[in-house]
Amino acid sequence: MADTKNRVGRIDLTNDRPVYIVGGGPAGLAAAAALRQRGVRAVVLEKSETVGASWRRHYDRLHLHTTRRLSALPGLPMPRSFGRWVSRDDVIRYLDKYADFHELEIVTGVEVSRIEPAGSDWLLHATGGRELTGRAVVVATGHNHTPRLPDWPGADAYPGELLHAGDYRNPAPYAGKDVLVVGVGNTGAEIAVDLVEGGAARVRLAVRTAPHIVRRSTAGWPAQRTGIVVRRLPVRLVDKAGEAMSRIAVPDLTEHGLPRPDTGLYSRVKEGAIPVQDVGLIDAVRSGRVEPVAALESFEGDKVQLADGSRISVDVVIAATGYRRALEGLVGHLGVLDERGRPVVHGARTPQQAPGLYFTGFTNPISGMFREMAIDARKIAKKLA
């Protein structure tokens, strides 16, 4: 703790033009700690009452798909007691400890609604009419910001239960029920397995595009390390290697309704689709406990219409349909987002038309989100120092 106190002592806490960090999740906390370590005052603005708010809303079963050793944020390792695959609850404990350990300056209950330039500084409009001026801004509001629920025809009149995966916690309320999970990303796949193991009467998984499935670890070698090794290699080369490894490590599930994808693994990653790490889906599909079906198209009364023309009856529909970054109101007027609402740059790079505006935590790389947030934090801090 002596080193921490020394670092704090070098920071000019009277500086009224700090670096403002919007968002108190892992990306924001990492950036704040890295800046503080370099003697730069950083103030985290978090709209919730606690740090790591999105992690507190995740389902109970969730574990990091990246290893503990490769998921630590700058300046504080994750405890060995967390195990190799860190649970949601331990991630929350770590984030709380991280904020305390680095003595971060965090203001909760303050939501920033708009960011705009003010000469060489930045002006933030926030809750209660606040106007805050900083010399730079790091936007870290999160990859999973606002649940995306498709506007399915007939959904308003569906008499069963329809919820987004962001509102799912555990399988207890669905024991004995017929459930359709929509979306076969990592969240949908894991919730489907969770429901099966938690006593749901029947679990079907609506699939629009067949996913790439990888083993989380093979002979002790985590998929994350492979992601780190290959991310700088040519896409075509990684696609070919991925196809070969898949045929060796992952059984063909075509006869069970889940065919092998017809596009390469890394090509899909470049489009924003991360492969599904197997935490029980393969066995559940092979045993028939999770039944892949066609994509959901609409609701017709108490029936669900699927893309192959079939109509099924279910008690519950859980939409694992992803999230929106929802950055348009905050920075959309600055021309710093692409056509999909994603920041045009991230990490230590700033948009040409908006110097001093940084983004972190908006990518989902195969090398691990926590790892990349830690790298971004150090680069941003170096640039601002």
Side-chain angles (χ1 to χ4, degrees):
M1 291 298 294
D3 289 342
T4 302
K5 290 179 181 177
N6 288 339
R7 286 197 297 269
V8 172
R10 291 198 300 270
I11 297 173
D12 179 13
L13 295 178
T14 65
N15 181 359
D16 61 355
R17 293 170 53 255
V19 174
Y20 280 109
I21 299 172
V22 185
L29 298 181
L35 285 164
R36 192 172 180 84
Q37 287 172 336
R38 284 185 172 269
V40 178
R41 185 186 178 203
V43 178
V44 178
L45 304 174
E46 167 56 45
K47 69 177 182 178
S48 302
E49 296 303 323
T50 59
V51 299
S54 65
W55 273 91
R56 297 174 197 274
R57 294 192 299 267
H58 284 314
Y59 50 94
D60 297 347
R61 175 194 178 99
L62 180 64
H63 285 67
L64 287 178
H65 290 165
T66 54
T67 65
R68 169 183 54 80
R69 293 184 63 184
L70 294 175
S71 300
L73 301 179
L76 184 66
M78 287 189 173
R80 293 186 63 182
S81 60
F82 285 2
R84 194 179 199 196
W85 311 106
V86 183
S87 71
R88 182 206 67 170
D89 288 349
D90 281 337
V91 169
I92 294 168
R93 292 186 186 98
Y94 175 73
L95 296 179
D96 285 337
K97 175 65 176 177
Y98 192 84
D100 289 342
F101 179 81
H102 287 293
E103 298 182 353
L104 301 182
E105 191 173 350
I106 301 170
V107 184
T108 59
V110 174
E111 182 173 7
V112 178
S113 57
R114 185 179 174 90
I115 300 171
E116 56 189 19
S120 60
D121 292 332
W122 287 91
L123 179 65
L124 291 78
H125 298 273
T127 305
R130 293 179 178 88
E131 293 188 348
L132 308 171
T133 302
R135 67 183 183 90
V137 179
V138 180
V139 180
T141 50
H143 190 271
N144 296 341
H145 185 275
T146 302
R148 180 192 294 116
L149 191 64
D151 186 18
W152 287 303
D156 291 344
Y158 176 60
E161 184 179 358
L162 170 61
L163 68 151
H164 189 271
D167 295 318
Y168 175 89
R169 293 294 173 268
N170 59 65
Y174 312 104
K177 294 187 177 182
D178 189 331
V179 186
L180 174 68
V181 180
V182 182
V184 67
N186 278 293
T187 297
E190 190 157 3
I191 287 176
V193 173
D194 199 30
L195 288 163
V196 166
E197 295 177 355
R202 186 177 187 181
V203 178
R204 282 173 277 196
L205 184 60
V207 180
R208 185 172 298 279
T209 304
H212 284 276
I213 303 174
V214 299
R215 301 287 188 181
R216 186 168 65 174
S217 179
T218 303
W221 178 265
Q224 180 189 9
R225 287 199 177 275
T226 301
I228 294 170
V229 170
V230 306
R231 67 174 311 200
R232 303 297 183 189
L233 297 178
V235 172
R236 184 178 299 179
L237 176 62
V238 180
D239 281 349
K240 288 184 177 180
E243 181 181 5
M245 286 302 300
S246 176
R247 293 188 180 280
I248 294 171
V250 179
D252 188 353
L253 301 173
T254 302
E255 65 179 39
H256 300 284
L258 202 59
R260 293 188 186 278
D262 56 9
T263 54
L265 183 152
Y266 205 31
S267 294
R268 198 74 77 72
V269 169
K270 290 296 186 180
E271 296 171 357
I274 297 298
V276 173
Q277 293 206 20
D278 179 46
V279 290
L281 181 66
I282 292 174
D283 288 342
V285 170
R286 292 178 75 180
S287 66
R289 294 178 299 152
V290 170
E291 308 167 46
V293 297
L296 191 159
E297 290 291 316
S298 64
F299 293 86
E300 296 183 6
D302 62 349
K303 304 289 185 182
V304 174
Q305 178 78 40
L306 302 181
D308 61 2
S310 60
R311 298 169 72 226
I312 61 174
S313 296
V314 294
D315 302 315
V316 183
V317 176
I318 301 175
T321 46
Y323 293 81
R324 294 186 297 108
R325 296 167 184 84
L327 291 169
E328 289 79 7
L330 191 67
V331 296
H333 55 288
L334 298 173
V336 296
L337 305 177
D338 66 15
E339 66 281 357
R340 295 171 62 183
R342 302 173 302 183
V344 293
V345 297
H346 67 90
R349 297 170 58 201
T350 62
Q352 185 175 359
Q353 69 275 34
L357 182 64
Y358 299 83
F359 296 89
T360 180
F362 294 99
T363 61
N364 193 11
I366 57 175
S367 51
M369 184 179 287
F370 270 56
R371 178 179 181 272
E372 294 304 318
M373 288 188 295
I375 293 172
D376 278 355
R378 294 186 180 98
K379 289 181 176 179
I380 291 170
K382 182 178 180 181
K383 183 81 172 288
L384 285 171

